[in-house]
Amino acid sequence: MKKMFTLSKLNRHAAALFLTIVLLHVSSSCGKKLDIVASNAGADDTQWASVSDTRAALMGIYGLLRAAMVDNYAHWVYGEMRYGDLVPYIRADLRAVADNRLNASFPIVKELSNWRRFYAVINAAALFIERAPAVLAVDRRYTERDLKFDIAQARTIRAFAYFYMVRIWGDVPLLTRSYDDGIFAEVARTPERTVLAFAEEELLAAAQELPYLYAEGSQQYYGEGFNTWVGVLVNKISAYTILAHLCAWQGKYLNAEVYARFALANAQQSRIVAYSVNDLVNRTSGLFAPSDKNQILAIRASYVFSEATATGHIESLSLAYPLVTRTRPDIYVPKDTINKLFLQASDTRFGVDTISGLITTNYFTDFNGDIPIFSKINVIRAGDGDPDFSLFGSNIVFSRLEELQLLYAEICAVLGNTDEAMLYLNFVRSNRGTSPFIMASGSDLVDEIFAERRRELMGEGWRWYDQVRHARIKRNNPTVNTLIEEGGIFWPISGEVLQRNRKLIQNAYWR
């Protein structure tokens, strides 16, 4: 049986450090740097004396990133709800987000306007970069190689957090060192392009140090072999994929092409492969399950290691009877939307044979019922849980090979390389049992690529950001294009944040 590792598999020192970071992160005591109290866990030199300390601190960064992405269903509310295919059933707070009323006075909307949890990630990463080198001098077990890998991971996660925040708030304060020194100076927002330039520089530097695989062959990393780390930690392909997305978001498609092409050409060195729909959605062995399947970038939440939660995962919003014991889901995909998107009976994600009436449905359950249940991601406990005991342990998958292939198709189409764009679009279509796209069909290539992303990546946190990129390219979505021009694609900044830092100015659209 494969030896598994998740962020909870830490020694007692690691658990204590992570708990300290989280408690400081959510504290409401004094301090004005941004809106959060400095996370000074690990500032004491005695906490940076051994490889146990570096391992604990590194895993703490990953844990904080997971917390930031699942808190108040953040990854899915940010990425799927605004003008999305997943729509609220009766929840007024989610309806406010769906309608882009992001200044509505609902607790979840207010909480998601607060960037505190992302700066906890950034500060923990900066603290690691500054303090980890000291361990090299005092613990012979800590090697130059491991220090290089560790710092590269911290730089990658920090850059990813900045990219993630820029997509949500636009201009955000740029901090390049930790703030565990008790100085809580107020900081103004930094222009989006400057923040992303810093993130790009960090990712490029980290990519040179990151391995394709950790503990390959007979090697070990923190005393563990390959099976412990595969699919858990960021690697070279993760960094180049984030770089490609960072540049595509800015419309820098020439740069994005270089990064995405490198990631695709070298993906197999990180054992990243394409998956069938069955391999994708299987509850116990699929890509979202606690399996050994690899992803480009994912955050795991294993039930076995007490990381599964009753809230925060998409399943606690999207699942309902007969999968769990609740009558109606909080969000669902209407039948009209499903029928509009999935047009071919052979589509292994969802297809209807109009002659026999037979339905192929791997993304939905009970399609013929009143409300189709979006069950593409359905990991209760370890994938085999009791519906009466709904703890969800699915992975948050930011990118996988199919997502990267479709991003590269988008990049190539924008740059006019239609043959390459069609090639990668059709890789995905073929793997899903649908007919290839051909230019003679009369359909627009860019539109078809984004339509395929809409089908393939449903529920994975991409819908809103894809709408923004699509509208920037085609200029054919009046609602989103108006929001782009007026700054309405960004969230407002939390009132709590503004009160703590007088140098901050509210996003213009929400003043």
Side-chain angles (χ1 to χ4, degrees), residues 67-80 112 117-118 164 168 312 465:
M69 295 173 75
V70 303
D71 184 40
N72 287 291
Y73 310 98
H75 185 63
W76 295 278
V77 177
Y78 289 140
E80 293 289 343
L112 291 176
R117 60 200 184 280
F118 290 103
Y164 205 96
I168 299 167
Y465 305 115

Side-chain angles (χ1 to χ4, degrees), residues 275-277 343-351 360 426-436 452 456:
Y275 293 112
S276 69
V277 169
L343 301 175
Q344 298 188 34
S346 58
D347 195 325
T348 54
R349 295 163 296 200
F350 178 86
T360 299
N426 288 331
F427 279 161
V428 176
R429 291 172 70 101
S430 174
N431 204 23
R432 297 299 177 250
T434 60
S435 58
E452 195 63 38
E456 177 66 21

Side-chain angles (χ1 to χ4, degrees), residues 377-421:
I377 304 173
N378 176 20
V379 182
I380 303 174
R381 299 174 68 176
D384 54 359
D386 185 339
D388 294 326
F389 185 53
S390 298
L391 288 177
F392 304 107
S394 56
N395 303 321
I396 304 173
V397 178
F398 178 81
S399 184
R400 51 187 171 90
L401 186 60
E402 295 82 4
E403 190 281 319
L404 179 59
Q405 288 174 331
L406 290 170
L407 174 66
Y408 187 63
E410 170 195 337
I411 293 165
C412 290
V414 171
L415 295 177
N417 188 350
T418 57
D419 289 342
E420 194 81 347

Side-chain angles (χ1 to χ4, degrees), residues 214 255 320:
Y214 294 85
N255 291 28

Side-chain angles (χ1 to χ4, degrees), residues 277-299:
V277 169
N278 286 334
D279 281 334
L280 190 70
V281 305
N282 189 285
R283 292 185 299 172
T284 57
S285 63
L287 197 69
F288 303 100
S291 69
D292 60 358
K293 287 185 170 56
N294 205 357
Q295 318 94 353
I296 291 175
L297 177 57
I299 305 297

Side-chain angles (χ1 to χ4, degrees), residues 84-157:
D85 295 323
L86 285 155
V87 301
Y89 180 63
I90 58 173
R91 281 187 57 165
D93 53 355
L94 297 181
R95 171 54 59 191
V97 178
D99 295 341
N100 205 50
R101 291 184 287 111
L102 305 181
N103 53 0
S105 57
F106 294 104
I108 191 172
V109 179
K110 290 182 177 180
E111 285 297 317
L112 291 176
S113 298
N114 195 321
W115 56 38
R116 175 181 58 241
R117 60 200 184 280
F118 290 103
Y119 278 103
V121 178
I122 288 166
N123 187 59
L127 187 62
F128 187 97
I129 293 165
E130 294 161 10
R131 297 303 182 97
V135 178
L136 197 65
V138 295
D139 192 336
R140 293 181 180 179
R141 296 172 298 169
Y142 198 43
T143 66
E144 291 275 4
R145 185 207 67 172
D146 288 354
L147 174 63
K148 178 181 71 173
F149 287 172
D150 291 355
I151 289 181
Q153 289 175 72
R155 295 177 81 174
T156 300
I157 295 171

Side-chain angles (χ1 to χ4, degrees), residues 223-270:
E224 307 278 1
F226 168 80
N227 287 341
T228 294
W229 304 109
V230 63
V232 173
L233 307 178
V234 295
N235 57 35
K236 194 181 295 288
I237 302 304
S238 309
Y240 276 102
T241 299
I242 300 168
L243 279 164
H245 271 291
L246 182 150
C247 290
W249 179 255
Q250 298 175 85
K252 296 165 52 177
Y253 281 99
L254 285 171
N255 291 28
E257 193 274 339
V258 174
Y259 299 140
R261 177 159 41 85
F262 179 92
L264 285 168
N266 294 280
Q268 288 192 342
Q269 293 196 57
S270 292

Side-chain angles (χ1 to χ4, degrees), residues 299-314:
I299 305 297
R300 300 204 174 203
S302 172
Y303 171 76
V304 174
F305 296 109
S306 302
E307 294 168 345
T309 60
T311 62
H313 289 263
I314 190 172

